[in-house]
């Protein structure tokens, strides 16, 4: 049995898969905000729950915001900043009594969608997370490309391309820079943009619903978000030219985002024609946890 853990900013999800990839059990619990030891305890409780209910012991893979530094062995680049500078893999091994494989959540998401999701059959898949943070993962020929420094796919911490005067220098980012794509395209950024323009504090889903109902301010905010998303993805197309882009995370559930998006990407990409499909994740917000489970090959438990 393979156990996957998706360690998110607001929730932790566990999944158990059998050898064929069939789901045996899934469960979610809130993430203990700002509490590293509490997070370890929550993961241990989820693993214990799975194993008690299935009567089986499993391997454990964990999708995290951020990545393990190859230089220090500590978590880096996590927007859940309580994880940064921590030896998460070693601490989890001690906590669980077994090794745990750690991988960036966007990489796990991309791995899952390329294997049997919206990117299945494509040679090059770029998976995008649009949620509390903005991340990405690159799969080529079914294999994860993590890069020399384990940061491949981190498009969210490049500057927003082709910024307007009102977008410069851009909001401050937790990474220490300003104007990162994440500061424009994350869920909190979308909410903040609408609040600044309308004085109303709505969730991204509520903004999209208002836009579909004819709310002019919401429609304008959604159109701006789509344009910024297209600019960011055009820069990815220029560098990688993937066969398919798969969107995940909470904002990927906004159907209106996909309306005309490839055509807007084509306005910015360096080509005389771009028809890169942009698809919603087939496995929804469980793709990351599925990818985490698949970090271990069959028979590893």
């Amino acid at each position: 049995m393979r156990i996957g853990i998706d360690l998110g900013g607001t929730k932790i999800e566990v999944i158990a898969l059998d050898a064929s990839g069939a789901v045996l059990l899934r469960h979610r619990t809130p993430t203990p905000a700002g509490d590293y030891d509490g997070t370890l305890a929550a993961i241990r409780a989820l693993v214990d729950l799975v194993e008690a209910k299935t009567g089986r012991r499993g391997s454990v893979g964990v999708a995290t915001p951020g990545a393990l530094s190859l230089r220090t062995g500590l978590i880096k680049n996590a927007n859940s900043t309580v994880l940064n500078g921590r030896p998460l893999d070693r601490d989890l091994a001690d906590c669980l009594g077994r090794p745990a494989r750690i991988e960036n959540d966007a990489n796990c998401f991309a791995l899952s969608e390329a294997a049997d999701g919206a990117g299945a059959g494509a040679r090059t898949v770029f998976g995008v997370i649009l949620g509390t943070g903005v991340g990405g993962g690159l799969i080529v020929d079914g294999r994860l490309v993590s890069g020399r420094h384990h940061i491949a796919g981190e498009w969210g911490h490049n500057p927003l391309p082709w910024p307007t005067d009102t977008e410069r220098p851009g909001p401050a980012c937790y990474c220490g820079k300003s104007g990162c794509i994440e500061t424009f395209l994350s869920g909190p950024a979308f909410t903040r943009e609408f609040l600044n323009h309308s004085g109303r504090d709505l969730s991204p889903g509520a903004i999209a619903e208002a836009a579909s109902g004819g709310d002019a301010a919401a429609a304008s905010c959604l159109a701006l978000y789509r344009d910024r998303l297209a600019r960011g993805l055009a820069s990815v197309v220029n560098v990688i030219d993937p066969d398919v882009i798969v969107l995940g995370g909470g904002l990927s559930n906004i159907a209106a985002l996909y309306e005309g998006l490839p055509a807007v990407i084509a306005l910015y990409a360096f080509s005389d024609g771009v028809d890169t499909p942009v698809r919603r994740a087939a496995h929804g917000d469980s793709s990351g946890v599925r990818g985490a489970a698949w970090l271990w090959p069959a028979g590893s438990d």
Side-chain angles (χ1 to χ4, degrees):
M1 179 176 69
R2 284 182 286 257
I3 299 172
I5 300 284
D6 184 9
L7 177 51
T10 58
K11 56 90 179 169
I12 306 174
E13 181 175 7
V14 65
I15 198 168
L17 304 179
D18 68 13
S20 70
V23 177
L24 301 174
L25 186 147
R26 284 176 56 189
H27 188 74
R28 291 183 177 184
T29 190
T31 302
D35 184 352
Y36 182 72
D37 290 336
T39 297
L40 294 177
I43 293 173
R44 172 62 187 269
L46 288 172
V47 172
D48 287 347
L49 173 70
V50 166
E51 295 184 335
K53 289 197 171 186
T54 62
R56 300 166 64 180
R57 181 178 171 89
S59 59
V60 178
V62 181
T64 68
L68 282 173
S69 167
L70 300 182
R71 183 174 61 86
T72 67
L74 308 176
I75 291 288
K76 64 176 181 177
N77 298 344
N79 58 3
S80 297
T81 54
V82 70
L83 301 176
N84 288 327
R86 301 281 194 162
L88 183 61
D89 58 338
R90 298 195 295 271
D91 288 342
L92 279 175
D94 291 341
C95 181
L96 298 173
R98 77 200 78 172
R101 290 192 175 177
I102 307 292
E103 188 53 77
N104 176 263
D105 53 3
N107 287 344
C108 290
F109 164 80
L111 185 61
S112 173
E113 289 296 322
D116 61 356
R123 180 170 181 238
T124 306
V125 179
F126 189 72
V128 169
I129 298 290
L130 299 172
T132 305
V134 172
L138 176 62
I139 308 296
V140 178
D141 292 331
R143 301 183 64 180
L144 174 65
V145 179
S146 57
R148 181 182 179 95
H149 302 101
H150 217 156
I151 58 171
E154 288 290 1
W155 72 302
H157 290 281
N158 288 323
L160 180 71
W162 304 284
T164 65
D165 289 342
T166 60
E167 293 169 335
R168 298 187 185 95
C173 185
Y174 76 90
C175 73
K177 301 179 178 66
S178 296
C180 291
I181 287 171
E182 179 166 305
T183 68
F184 290 98
L185 295 183
S186 69
F190 190 27
T191 295
R192 183 185 65 242
E193 183 78 30
F194 185 68
L195 177 64
N196 290 341
H197 283 81
S198 71
R200 288 175 282 162
D201 188 6
L202 297 180
S203 69
I207 296 169
E209 185 175 351
S212 66
D215 186 308
S220 175
C221 188
L222 183 61
L224 177 59
Y225 184 93
R226 185 191 297 110
D227 183 77
R228 288 169 171 170
L229 176 60
R231 281 184 264 163
L233 293 179
S235 67
V236 171
V237 169
N238 284 348
V239 175
I240 300 171
D241 199 12
D243 294 307
V244 61
I245 297 170
V246 182
L247 302 187
L251 278 79
S252 71
N253 295 319
I254 299 175
L257 280 185
Y258 301 85
E259 295 172 4
L261 183 57
V264 185
I265 293 173
L267 294 176
Y268 294 106
F270 186 62
S271 178
D272 61 352
V274 172
D275 61 357
T276 309
V278 182
R279 300 173 182 160
R280 187 187 306 187
H283 298 298
D285 60 0
S286 289
S287 221
V289 74
R290 285 168 49 85
W294 284 107
L295 292 173
W296 289 90
S300 299
D301 52 303

